[in-house]
């Protein structure tokens, strides 16, 4: 499956060129170049996994000090 190579025109505001990126965050939401939610969901799921692991660790630590 070959992807078609797309040529994009350069965009400018005044004499400053606008840099093209594949993804960006705006108001806490991740946008990718295809305007799909995949990137946003991947970032949210990663944060949830980290939060869950930290919560389990701290709960375990707190419970281990109880008599």
């Amino acid at each position: 499956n070959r992807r078609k190579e797309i040529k994009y025109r350069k965009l400018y505001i005044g004499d400053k060129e606008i840099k093209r990126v594949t993804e960006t965050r705006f108001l806490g939401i991740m946008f990718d170049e295809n305007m799909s939610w995949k990137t946003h969901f991947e970032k949210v799921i990663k944060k949830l996994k980290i939060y869950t692991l930290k919560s389990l660790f701290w709960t375990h630590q707190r419970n281990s000090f109880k008599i």
Side-chain angles (χ1 to χ4, degrees), residues 13-39:
I13 293 181
D15 61 347
K16 295 268 189 180
E17 183 179 349
I18 306 295
K19 180 182 168 189
R20 181 165 177 79
V21 296
T22 56
E23 64 183 40
T24 189
R25 178 184 297 248
F26 181 70
L27 298 176
I29 299 173
M30 293 298 298
F31 292 96
D32 67 12
E33 61 188 344
N34 299 318
M35 296 300 289
S36 74
W37 289 96
K38 183 179 178 182
T39 303

Side-chain angles (χ1 to χ4, degrees), residues 44-64:
V44 169
I45 289 168
K46 183 178 178 181
K47 283 184 179 181
L48 284 172
K49 286 179 181 179
I50 291 170
Y51 175 78
T52 302
L53 289 174
K54 284 182 179 179
S55 294
L56 289 172
F57 174 77
W58 288 112
T59 301
H60 175 70
Q61 289 290 93
R62 194 171 4 132
N63 289 338
S64 66

